């Protein structure tokens, strides 16, 4: 039996997110943002808002999914990857989630690259926008987390039909880590 491959979750920062996508909820200087045309925003005594990211579905219809993360880990048996769309995850209540992430192998985009594996801790109110083709799994090690996901509507329907009804998935690839010959994957 191979020794476990253990990932220690790191905080979500712009730098830790960069290989996989983009951190959302990073510090915003609202006064400065309101003055720039590339990142328009508004500041008042009652509310502030500022452009954060232009979401790319790859041409599909955008969908918001409300979800509950309950898998405490530490084992990560599977990774999934969406072929066409970015995907945003934002924990809202109940604490942080740990997002397991990997890029694809250069010579085989249908498989995750174990050398690129990372675990990022996403606190409530932060978000991660994963690029298309990023392998991922989500854990809630501190207990159930309610969150928001921004995705492509057809990707959600495709994934539900696959998971619930056993239909072949066409917009998502799911791999069993053991079938890749990896040692057991877990978080510390």
């Amino acid at each position: 039996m191979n020794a476990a491959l253990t990932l220690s979750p790191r905080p979500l920062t712009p730098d830790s997110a960069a290989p996989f996508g983009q951190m959302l909820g990073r510090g915003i200087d609202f006064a400065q943002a309101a003055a720039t045309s590339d990142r328009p925003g508004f500041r008042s005594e009652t509310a502030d808002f500022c452009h954060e990211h232009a979401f790319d579905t790859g041409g599909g219809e955008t969908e918001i999914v409300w979800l509950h993360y309950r898998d405490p880990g530490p084992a990560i048996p599977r990774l999934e990857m969406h072929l066409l769309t970015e995907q945003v995850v934002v924990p809202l209540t109940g604490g942080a989630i740990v997002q397991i992430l990997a890029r694809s192998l250069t010579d085989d985009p249908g498989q995750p690259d174990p050398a690129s594996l990372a675990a990022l801790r996403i606190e409530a109110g932060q978000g991660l926008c994963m690029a298309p083709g990023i392998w991922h799994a989500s854990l809630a090690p501190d207990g159930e987390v309610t969150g928001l996901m921004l995705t492509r509507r057809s990707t959600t329907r495709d994934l539900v039909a696959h998971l619930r009804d056993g239909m072949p998935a066409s917009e998502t690839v799911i791999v069993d880590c053991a079938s890749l010959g990896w040692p057991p994957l877990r978080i510390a």
Side-chain angles (χ1 to χ4, degrees):
M1 178 92 176
N2 293 335
L5 176 57
T6 303
L7 302 172
S8 295
R10 297 178 294 149
L12 177 66
T13 66
D15 288 340
S16 68
F20 311 104
Q22 175 180 323
M23 178 184 175
L24 305 176
R26 57 199 186 275
I28 297 172
D29 180 346
F30 284 96
Q32 184 66 18
T36 65
S37 60
D38 64 324
R39 196 168 186 197
F42 175 78
R43 180 171 176 76
S44 74
E45 289 183 22
T46 57
D48 301 334
F49 63 88
C50 181
H51 168 82
E52 179 78 3
H53 177 71
F55 187 74
D56 181 8
T57 61
E61 185 178 358
T62 304
E63 178 174 58
I64 295 171
V65 176
W66 207 253
L67 50 87
H68 295 268
Y69 293 108
R70 286 188 285 277
D71 185 350
I76 303 125
R78 287 170 297 288
L79 294 172
E80 71 179 53
M81 181 261 289
H82 306 297
L83 298 164
L84 304 174
T85 185
E86 291 182 322
Q87 186 176 70
V88 171
V89 291
V90 181
L92 298 172
T93 65
I97 63 171
V98 172
Q99 196 75 355
I100 311 307
L101 301 154
R103 300 192 61 78
S104 291
L105 288 168
T106 305
D107 58 349
D108 186 355
Q111 286 196 30
D113 179 357
S116 70
L117 280 165
L120 299 181
R121 186 173 174 87
I122 306 172
E123 301 293 339
Q126 293 182 322
L128 175 65
C129 181
M130 295 172 285
I134 294 299
W135 295 91
H136 59 279
S138 305
L139 300 175
D142 302 326
E144 184 172 311
V145 174
T146 298
L148 170 139
M149 180 187 300
L150 188 61
T151 189
R152 176 181 165 128
R153 188 171 191 186
S154 61
T155 298
T156 302
R157 289 175 184 230
D158 179 65
L159 186 58
V160 167
H162 174 71
L163 295 173
R164 185 186 61 205
D165 305 325
M167 302 297 294
S170 61
E171 295 188 22
T172 299
V173 178
I174 300 173
V175 296
D176 180 83
C177 297
S179 71
L180 297 173
W182 290 8
L185 182 58
R186 53 191 304 114
I187 60 168

